[in-house]
Amino acid sequence: MKKAIYPGSFDPITNGHLDILIRASKVFDEIIVLVANNPNKKFNFSPKERVEMIKESTKDIKGVTVDYYDGLTVEYAKKVGATHLIRGLRAVSDFEYEFQLASANEFVNKDIDMVFFMSRGDKSFISSSSIMQMYRSGVDVSSLVPPSVIKRMK
Ligand code: COA
């Protein structure tokens, strides 16, 4: 039984995140999408709203559940018996950040490993903040985020 955590800010969840999650669900039996805290960010949506949006958009993906945790992701992973953390890589620029994150996680707990999925080409430009910026400027972003997000943006 392979159990993994897919952590992120998900502010909000995008079709890019969903693509990674759907592909990862073919590798792991159980995935917990974890709304985690990044103290460097100012959020658009509350943790509760982010969890709700993810729940609604992932309800049909087998083995996926959603949770929120305000501590270290690897601590949460250990607590629930997960062995891997899933992350998406969009471009070379993501690598440096992910490498630092992986190293910090490894320092805290060597037993939890990270697994990376490459973003599909057509999703590699998507980021939560760029979507919010486009939306606020009147751009139709309905092809970039699930309906549960559009509903709350309005
Ligand atoms: N498709 C679309 N967008 C993607 C993406 C994908 N496949 N992969 C990443 N992104 C985007 C996100 O939308 C986000 O965009 P934004 O910055 O414009 O909002 C950006 O990439 C990175 O966000 P995210 O993946 O959510 O990472 P993060 O840096 O906000 O947070 C955590 C990373 C939450 C996993 C990390 O901070 C964490 O684990 N925090 C808990 C405390 C901890 O354990 N810290 C680590 C040890 S010190």
Side-chain angles (χ1 to χ4, degrees), residues 8-9 14 16 37-38 41 72-73 87 90 97 126-129:
S9 299
T14 70
N37 194 18
N38 180 348
K41 280 193 173 172
L72 295 181
T73 299
R87 296 283 290 168
R90 291 165 299 172
Y97 177 67
I126 304 178
S127 84
S128 300
S129 54

Side-chain angles (χ1 to χ4, degrees), residues 98-148:
E98 294 299 332
F99 187 71
Q100 284 190 351
L101 195 59
S103 306
N105 286 336
E106 185 188 325
F107 180 78
V108 181
N109 188 337
K110 283 190 175 47
D111 297 333
I112 312 277
D113 220 337
M114 294 186 77
V115 176
F116 297 92
F117 285 82
M118 296 296 288
S119 282
R120 302 272 191 220
D122 63 334
K123 309 247 176 349
S124 59
F125 73 99
I126 304 178
S127 84
S128 300
S129 54
S130 66
I131 285 174
M132 291 309 291
Q133 202 174 354
M134 286 189 272
Y135 177 76
R136 287 187 179 117
S137 303
V139 177
D140 177 7
V141 294
S142 56
S143 61
L144 305 178
V145 289
S148 63

Side-chain angles (χ1 to χ4, degrees), residues 15-118:
N15 289 347
H17 295 127
L18 282 174
D19 178 57
I20 301 285
L21 184 61
I22 290 166
R23 287 157 57 201
S25 72
K26 292 171 186 151
V27 178
F28 293 96
D29 303 299
E30 209 182 309
I31 299 175
I32 303 174
V33 183
L34 188 69
V35 174
N37 194 18
N38 180 348
N40 302 318
K41 280 193 173 172
K42 213 172 146 266
F43 293 109
N44 298 295
F45 297 95
S46 70
K48 187 169 172 274
E49 285 172 315
R50 283 179 273 152
V51 166
E52 280 169 5
M53 289 187 280
I54 301 169
K55 276 189 179 162
E56 283 172 36
S57 55
T58 60
K59 63 179 187 315
D60 296 328
I61 312 173
K62 200 168 156 273
V64 170
T65 55
V66 190
D67 200 0
Y68 169 74
Y69 187 65
D70 198 13
L72 295 181
T73 299
V74 285
E75 279 178 351
Y76 178 91
K78 190 179 173 196
K79 199 162 67 108
V80 299
T83 51
H84 292 82
L85 302 186
I86 298 161
R87 296 283 290 168
L89 279 181
R90 291 165 299 172
V92 178
S93 52
D94 277 348
F95 177 81
E96 209 168 327
Y97 177 67
E98 294 299 332
F99 187 71
Q100 284 190 351
L101 195 59
S103 306
N105 286 336
E106 185 188 325
F107 180 78
V108 181
N109 188 337
K110 283 190 175 47
D111 297 333
I112 312 277
D113 220 337
M114 294 186 77
V115 176
F116 297 92
F117 285 82
M118 296 296 288

